[in-house]
Amino acid sequence: SNEYLDFLRPRGIPASADDVLYEIEPQYNYRPDLLAYDMYGTPKLWWVFAQRNMDIMEDPIYDLKVGTKIYLPKASALKNALGV
């Protein structure tokens, strides 16, 4: 059968001088979807954190734990990077 979800198209999220260094709080422990919703208004951008922090995060869910510090792109910079 020809059933598949889609092709993986990794998109790099470039570092920017105005990225925010953020320490993961308890409400976002293992929940990149909730952090993405609160930061960008959609849970679909959960993958941005792993792409922007490849040197810190190997697993996009289980490496997002309380106390971990990651860089968060600002919404405007992310829109430019994604071309939306």
Side-chain angles (χ1 to χ4, degrees):
S1 94
N2 291 330
E3 294 182 28
Y4 60 90
L5 294 175
D6 204 350
F7 292 104
L8 175 62
R9 294 181 201 120
R11 300 179 86 173
I13 304 298
S16 177
D18 63 349
D19 287 349
V20 176
L21 183 61
Y22 177 78
E23 186 172 336
I24 303 301
E25 299 176 51
Q27 68 265 31
Y28 303 121
N29 197 49
Y30 308 131
R31 295 300 306 267
D33 58 326
L34 295 179
L35 181 57
Y37 181 80
D38 288 347
M39 290 295 301
Y40 308 121
T42 178
K44 292 180 179 182
L45 293 175
W46 63 269
W47 57 271
V48 166
F49 309 126
Q51 288 295 309
R52 172 58 185 89
N53 297 281
M54 292 179 80
D55 57 333
I56 299 168
M57 300 174 69
E58 211 171 288
D59 185 296
I61 296 174
Y62 294 108
D63 287 344
L64 194 79
K65 54 189 170 192
V66 175
T68 302
K69 293 181 181 178
I70 63 171
Y71 287 97
L72 303 178
K74 291 193 175 181
S76 58
L78 184 58
K79 286 180 183 180
N80 287 336
L82 298 178
V84 292

